[in-house]
């Protein structure tokens, strides 16, 4: 009998993983409640998400392949950590899990208990726990699936050799499907024939309904996730949302998770692709050019305005436009291009190239304005014919509620839709308030038209009525436009996230990035990292704002400003570290943080934000947390 050759164990920081607690309990487990001890022997990936967050939805899609490939060794657990008050409602989480096709257990943590235990600072954040119950990596933002898969493979090898890996079926139990005509519909379009076209988002189809808004005329799309052109019965979509009529009588579709614009021929039912490559746009890629050669990022709504299809590009906090007119330099191609937004998330008005948005999700065009439902800032914005961006209602990322009155003090909660009304006012699908609101630019007043809707996401005029998409009730609801507003109790909220207490004066900002195993930062063509810092209010930062290539920076905070939000955007590109490979595969890791801070004597003088890896200055190596 010979001794087995020992397998070298990689040296990595390990922190004992805190327990998983959430007042809302577990979903997708057949009503069974779990602890980390129950999952010992499995590689556990915690996905801290909230269903309003487009970056969180991107990560759900990034993880699907890894989840399937390593189903017998890996357990992904979504830890739902709400930003908005509505997201703390248990039924809303149940709905979101089905709406976005989440096929793993979810812990509903409405009080952010587990979020705090793991010291999470941003949505989304991924935490990897090894089979012995230790945290071995943390990743914030998007673009980390390849790195996590590499780590999973290492952990499988290591713990199989140690005898600490346990293979088998995971705890996921699929819920029973519900037999409704629509399932979480997104947007609605009135067709010239008098019928309605609805994006049946969760079923990956378009549905034409008769004039009664209920009877199915036809379905377009096979119902399977995919990006395939063809006739109505075989074409595929992936969570389609926005719809708009083109001059030729066809319909343009925002095919959100395919990161594409599609065209529906209403006569034949044929579906073709107008714009997008099927891949998500990432920082550094082109932002204009031939429409089929430029990547898009979660287009959520579309509107025909000023001779172009304007796109609410929720995934990168911008507006883009598709121009069907031929490009003078290439008469065979229509084009796409950015029209407003910097990709920074927030609420900043001004010329289009300088404005900031936060997940624009609804559009409505009038002769001289393009109205925008800017969901993450709970704001109603508009673009003038010169391309400048203005705010009608809303103050920023962390303030929301249900309050009528003057636009300056009125509050919305994550609106997804906006509809132009004949008198020049607009109806707002105030999604997380379950209400239809109205803003009148002539008077500057915000009122409530209707309540007791369930996650309204869009609406369309039908004569004197308005047809509302009640997304979470899976139906269209017809309302008579009221002559008088509904009176509601005013409610104001701020996000539950506690402010980080920091000392006035110098603050060391450290964005931690550790390249995945087998990769390195590739500087052959210049810096491979980027850091952008700003603040709300701007006076909070005396020094350190702006763009740079170093992931570490000293900020100077204004002691005269008691509190505010630091906006930090970081990007790092890593490539395969193989000198023999002339064309190494590269990956972009990126995240935006909005960190509420409060200036306090004796507060922290260092702010670590983990993009990928572990903060080795926390002194907790091999310690219980």
């Amino acid at each position: 009998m010979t001794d087995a050759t020992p397998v070298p164990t990689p040296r990595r920081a390990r922190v004992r993983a805190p327990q998983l607690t959430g007042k809302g309990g577990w979903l997708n487990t057949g009503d069974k409640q779990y602890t980390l001890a129950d999952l010992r022997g499995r590689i556990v990936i915690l996905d801290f998400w909230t269903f309003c967050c487009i970056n969180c939805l991107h990560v759900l899609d990034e993880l699907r392949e890894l989840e399937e490939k390593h189903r017998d060794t890996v357990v992904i657990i979504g830890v739902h950590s709400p930003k908005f008050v509505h997201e703390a409602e248990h039924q809303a989480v149940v709905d979101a899990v089905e709406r976005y096709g989440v096929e793993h257990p979810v812990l509903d943590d409405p009080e952010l208990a587990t979020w705090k235990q793991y010291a999470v600072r941003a949505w989304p954040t991924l935490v990897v726990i090894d089979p012995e119950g230790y945290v071995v990596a943390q990743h914030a933002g998007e673009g980390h699936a390849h790195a996590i898969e590499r780590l999973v493979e290492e952990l499988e090898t290591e713990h199989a050799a140690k005898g600490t890996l346990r293979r088998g079926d995971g705890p996921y139990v699929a819920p029973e499907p519900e037999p409704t005509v629509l399932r979480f519909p997104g947007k609605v379009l009135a067709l010239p024939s008098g019928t309605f076209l609805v994006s049946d988002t969760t079923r990956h189809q378009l549905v034409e309904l008769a004039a009664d808004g209920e009877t199915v005329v036809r379905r377009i799309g096979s119902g399977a996730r995919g990006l395939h052109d063809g006739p109505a019965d075989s074409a595929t979509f992936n969570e389609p949302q926005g719809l708009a009529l083109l001059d030729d009588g066809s319909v343009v579709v925002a095919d959100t998770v395919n990161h594409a614009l599609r065209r529906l021929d209403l006569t034949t039912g044929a579906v073709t692709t107008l714009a997008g490559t099927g891949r998500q746009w990432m920082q550094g890629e082109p932002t204009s050019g031939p429409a089929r050669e430029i990547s898009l990022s979660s287009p959520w709504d579309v509107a025909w305005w000023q001779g172009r299809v304007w796109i609410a590009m929720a995934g990168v906090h911008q507006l883009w436009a598709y121009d069907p007119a031929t490009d003078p330099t290439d008469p065979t191609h229509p084009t796409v291009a950015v029209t407003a937004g910097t990709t920074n998330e927030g609420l900043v008005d001004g010329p289009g190239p300088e404005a900031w948005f936060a997940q624009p999700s609804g559009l409505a065009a009038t002769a001289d304005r393009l109205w925008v439902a800017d969901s993450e800032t709970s704001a109603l914005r508009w673009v003038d014919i010169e391309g400048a961006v203005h705010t009608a209602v809303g103050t920023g990322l962390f303030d929301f509620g249900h309050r009528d009155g003057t636009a300056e003090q009125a509050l919305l909660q994550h609106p997804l839709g906006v509809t132009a009304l004949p008198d020049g006012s607009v109806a707002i699908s105030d999604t997380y308030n379950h209400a239809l609101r109205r803003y009148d630019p002539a008077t500057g007043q915000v009122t409530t038209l209707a309540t007791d809707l369930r996650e309204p996401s869009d609406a369309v005029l039908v004569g004197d009525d308005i047809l509302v998409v009640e997304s979470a009730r899976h139906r269209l609801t017809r309302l008579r436009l009221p002559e008088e507003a509904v009176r509601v109790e005013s409610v104001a909220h701020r996000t539950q996230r506690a402010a980080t207490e920091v000392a006035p004066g110098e603050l060391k900002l450290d964005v931690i990035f550790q390249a995945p195993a087998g990769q390195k930062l590739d500087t052959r063509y210049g810096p491979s990292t980027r850091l952008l810092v700003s603040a709300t209010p701007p006076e909070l930062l005396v020094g350190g704002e702006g763009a740079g290539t170093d992931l570490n920076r000293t900020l100077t905070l204004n002691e005269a400003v008691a509190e505010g939000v630091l906006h930090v955007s970081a990007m790092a590109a890593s490539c395969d570290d193989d000198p023999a490979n002339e064309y190494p595969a590269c990956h972009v890791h990126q995240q935006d943080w909005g960190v509420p801070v409060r200036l306090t004597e004796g507060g922290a003088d260092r702010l670590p934000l983990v993009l990928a890896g572990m903060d080795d200055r926390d002194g907790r190596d091999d310690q219980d947390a």
Side-chain angles (χ1 to χ4, degrees):
M1 184 173 179
T2 59
D3 292 337
T5 302
V7 176
T9 300
R11 173 63 178 163
R12 59 172 68 92
R14 300 203 315 165
V15 176
R16 176 64 71 182
Q19 279 302 326
L20 305 178
T21 57
K23 190 175 180 180
W26 291 80
L27 305 176
N28 281 358
T29 62
D31 295 327
K32 183 174 179 180
Q33 308 298 298
Y34 280 89
T35 67
L36 269 181
D38 297 325
L39 303 172
R40 196 62 49 83
R42 311 299 289 272
I43 300 163
V44 176
I45 300 172
L46 304 182
D47 176 15
F48 289 88
W49 70 300
T50 187
F51 63 78
C52 71
C53 161
I54 191 66
N55 311 92
C56 300
L57 303 185
H58 289 166
V59 167
L60 284 176
D61 291 311
E62 287 179 7
L63 292 176
R64 292 186 197 279
E65 184 177 345
L66 181 147
E67 189 170 22
E68 181 60 35
K69 184 176 178 181
H70 298 272
R71 191 170 289 278
D72 68 332
T73 59
V74 171
V75 175
I76 296 177
I77 294 174
V79 182
H80 189 268
S81 314
K83 171 186 173 180
F84 290 99
V85 168
H86 169 58
E87 292 176 302
E89 296 177 15
H90 182 69
Q91 184 57 47
V93 181
V94 173
D95 288 344
V97 167
E98 181 188 351
R99 181 194 298 269
Y100 297 116
V102 179
E103 295 184 353
H104 51 247
V106 172
L107 176 63
D108 181 12
D109 183 19
E111 297 176 347
L112 302 182
T114 298
W115 166 288
K116 293 169 186 172
Q117 286 273 40
Y118 281 81
V120 175
R121 292 184 181 274
W123 296 280
T125 291
L126 298 167
V127 174
V128 182
I129 302 172
D130 73 12
E132 295 179 291
Y134 287 90
V135 174
V136 293
Q138 181 172 324
H139 302 261
E142 303 177 44
H144 301 296
H146 72 286
I148 291 176
E149 179 161 21
R150 180 73 65 90
L151 177 57
V152 163
E153 291 169 350
E154 287 182 5
L155 292 171
E156 286 175 340
T157 301
E158 174 187 341
H159 288 275
K162 291 174 67 175
T164 50
L165 182 69
R166 178 167 57 89
R167 295 179 180 271
D169 293 335
Y172 171 66
V173 177
E176 288 294 322
E178 298 286 342
T180 53
V181 172
L182 303 173
R183 204 70 192 161
F184 298 104
K187 304 290 184 181
V188 61
L189 176 68
L191 298 178
S193 62
T195 60
F196 300 98
L197 190 67
V198 182
S199 52
D200 197 14
T201 304
T202 297
R203 293 210 177 112
H204 317 295
Q205 292 179 319
L206 308 179
V207 179
E208 185 177 357
L209 298 178
D212 61 7
E214 297 178 5
T215 305
V216 175
V217 176
R218 60 175 168 168
R219 293 182 180 270
I220 296 100
S222 71
R225 286 184 188 268
L227 177 54
H228 177 72
D229 290 344
D233 59 351
S234 63
T236 55
F237 298 93
N238 199 342
E239 297 183 25
Q241 288 280 351
L243 308 163
L245 273 172
L246 297 177
D247 281 352
D248 64 2
S250 64
V251 173
V252 59
V253 182
D255 195 3
T256 304
V257 181
N258 276 329
H259 311 294
L261 296 188
R262 315 292 292 283
R263 177 185 181 273
L264 169 65
D265 185 316
L266 287 171
T267 302
T268 66
V271 176
T272 52
T273 300
L274 293 177
T277 62
R279 293 180 294 102
Q280 181 186 339
W281 182 93
M282 301 297 281
Q283 289 286 352
E285 295 187 16
T287 55
S288 64
R292 291 294 303 275
E293 298 175 18
I294 303 297
S295 294
L296 310 181
S297 182
S298 296
W300 206 274
D301 203 5
V302 282
W304 180 259
W305 190 57
Q306 302 290 318
R308 294 183 289 175
V309 175
W310 285 65
I311 309 165
M313 202 71 78
V316 283
H317 318 299
Q318 291 180 312
L319 302 181
W320 288 42
Y322 166 83
D323 189 347
T326 54
D327 178 353
T329 63
D330 184 352
T332 64
H333 283 96
T335 59
V336 290
V338 175
T339 54
T342 64
T343 76
N344 293 316
E345 185 178 13
L347 192 151
V348 176
D349 290 340
E354 300 172 15
W356 292 22
F357 293 93
Q359 276 178 232
S361 302
L363 300 175
T366 63
D368 60 350
R369 292 187 182 189
L370 179 71
W371 293 97
V372 183
D374 201 27
S375 62
E376 277 294 286
T377 52
S378 298
L380 175 67
R381 319 280 295 279
W382 56 280
V383 182
D384 64 30
I385 56 175
E386 302 298 324
V389 178
H390 310 261
T391 297
V393 182
T395 59
L397 284 166
F398 300 105
D399 296 299
F400 54 91
H402 191 154
R403 185 163 64 199
D404 289 334
T406 61
E408 292 79 10
Q409 55 87 51
L411 293 172
L412 310 171
Q413 187 180 178
H414 198 81
L416 290 178
V418 59
T419 306
L421 301 179
D423 63 358
S425 66
V426 292
I428 306 158
S429 295
D430 193 6
T431 308
Y432 289 2
N433 279 327
H434 311 300
L436 193 67
R437 311 285 293 283
R438 176 177 179 265
Y439 168 68
D440 186 350
T443 64
Q445 294 288 309
V446 175
T447 53
T448 298
L449 296 175
T451 58
D452 193 31
L453 301 167
R454 186 68 185 172
E455 292 192 19
S457 55
D458 197 21
V460 64
L461 283 174
V462 187
D464 293 330
D465 296 339
I466 190 164
L467 197 63
V468 181
V469 179
E470 275 199 275
S471 186
R473 284 196 177 118
H474 320 292
R475 69 187 187 191
L476 305 185
T477 298
R478 189 183 296 259
L479 303 172
R480 177 56 54 96
L481 273 174
E483 296 181 3
E484 294 187 4
V486 176
R487 292 191 176 275
V488 295
E489 190 74 26
S490 293
V491 179
H493 299 289
R494 284 183 65 83
T495 184
Q496 292 187 62
R497 292 173 59 193
T500 299
E501 293 194 349
V502 296
E506 290 194 349
L507 176 69
K508 181 67 183 302
L509 172 64
D510 288 334
V511 174
I512 291 118
F513 177 77
Q514 296 158 6
Q519 295 195 347
K520 67 176 182 179
L521 292 175
D522 190 347
T523 57
R524 290 177 300 171
Y525 306 107
S528 57
T529 56
R530 187 192 70 161
L531 180 65
L532 178 67
V533 181
S534 62
T536 303
E539 297 78 25
L540 174 63
L541 276 178
V542 177
E545 72 279 6
T549 57
D550 194 338
L551 293 180
N552 309 106
R553 187 180 301 181
T554 299
L555 311 180
T556 306
L557 304 181
N558 185 351
E559 61 183 14
V561 178
E563 60 182 3
V565 179
L566 291 174
H567 303 282
V568 180
S569 177
M571 183 275 289
S574 63
C575 300
D576 290 344
D577 187 9
D578 182 358
N581 187 354
E582 186 178 356
Y583 303 104
C586 296
H587 305 272
V588 175
H589 316 254
Q590 61 187 45
Q591 171 64 359
D592 296 332
W593 291 268
V595 183
V597 295
R598 181 179 300 112
L599 274 61
T600 307
E601 290 297 337
D605 61 2
R606 176 175 178 261
L607 177 62
L609 300 175
V610 178
L611 179 60
M614 298 281 282
D615 180 11
D616 59 11
R617 288 185 54 183
D618 64 10
R620 299 185 299 167
D621 184 22
D622 283 323
Q623 302 295 313
D624 288 353

